[in-house]
Amino acid sequence: VIVFLGFLAVFNILKYTESSQGMRIYPIVTESMKPVIVPGSLVFANPVREYIKGDIISYIEETDQGVATGKVLTHRITEKRSKQTFIVKGDANSDPDPVIIKKSQIQGKVFKVLPLLGYIEVLLKTLPGFLVLVAVPSLIIVVRQLRELNKNI
C-alpha cells in the first residue's frame, strides 16, 4: 500500500509541476493512434524547436474560431504547411483532423509511451477512482498506525 501511494505521489508531483516549456504528461483515452499508442497509455511530450512530418505531437484542440476546447489530442503530423502550421491525423483515423494546427497549439513531441498507466490518471479524476486509489489506502495506513500506537501505550 505504501509503495502504491508513493508511486501516486511521484506521478502527481511530475504531472502537476510541469513547466510551461518543459515535459508534459497526457493520458490517451481513444483508439485514434492505434497500434502505436493504445488507449490507457501515458505519453510524455517535450517542446522542440522544429516539428517535422512523422512526428507524434500533443496539442491543444481549438474550435474553427480558434477557441481552446480544453482537450489535448495526440496525433501524427502528416503534412507541414509552413513553419507554423501543420496537418495532423490519428494513425487509426481515415481522415486528417478537420482544422490546421498552429505551432502555438503544440505542447510537445511525444518521446515516451507507457502503456496502461494512463488509466490511473483517468481514474484519479473520478470520485470512485479517487476513493479506491487514494482515500481507502490512506485510511488503511492511518488505521494501522493508530493500532500500533495503541499497542505501545
Side-chain angles (χ1 to χ4, degrees):
V1 174
I2 292 173
V3 172
F4 177 73
L5 289 175
F7 169 77
L8 284 178
V10 169
F11 172 77
N12 281 311
I13 288 169
L14 283 174
K15 178 71 181 150
Y16 295 106
T17 59
E18 299 169 338
S19 70
S20 62
Q21 297 301 312
M23 181 181 67
R24 303 295 182 117
I25 305 169
Y26 300 107
I28 301 299
V29 295
T30 69
E31 296 187 349
S32 67
M33 285 301 294
K34 277 180 77 175
V36 176
I37 305 172
V38 296
S41 297
L42 268 185
V43 296
F44 294 76
N46 248 350
V48 296
R49 194 176 323 207
E50 188 175 343
Y51 299 96
I52 60 173
K53 181 179 177 178
D55 285 348
I56 297 174
I57 59 166
S58 292
Y59 66 93
I60 297 172
E61 181 184 54
E62 290 184 355
T63 64
D64 293 335
Q65 294 77 31
V67 178
T69 64
K71 288 174 50 178
V72 175
L73 302 178
T74 299
H75 285 164
R76 187 181 304 276
I77 295 174
T78 57
E79 183 183 339
K80 186 172 181 178
R81 287 276 174 101
S82 70
K83 275 189 153 183
Q84 301 293 318
T85 59
F86 306 88
I87 302 293
V88 298
K89 178 176 106 47
D91 289 356
N93 296 345
S94 55
D95 296 317
D97 292 6
V99 295
I100 293 174
I101 305 304
K102 299 178 295 246
K103 187 174 182 179
S104 60
Q105 291 174 254
I106 299 175
Q107 299 298 291
K109 176 182 174 179
V110 172
F111 67 91
K112 183 73 176 164
V113 177
L114 296 177
L116 303 178
L117 290 182
Y119 286 128
I120 294 171
E121 181 178 352
V122 172
L123 281 173
L124 282 173
K125 292 180 179 179
T126 67
L127 180 59
F130 176 80
L131 291 173
V132 169
L133 296 175
V134 177
V136 171
S138 298
L139 185 62
I140 290 169
I141 290 172
V142 168
V143 168
R144 285 183 178 174
Q145 290 300 315
L146 289 174
R147 284 183 183 160
E148 286 296 316
L149 285 173
N150 282 339
K151 284 182 186 177
N152 294 332
I153 295 179

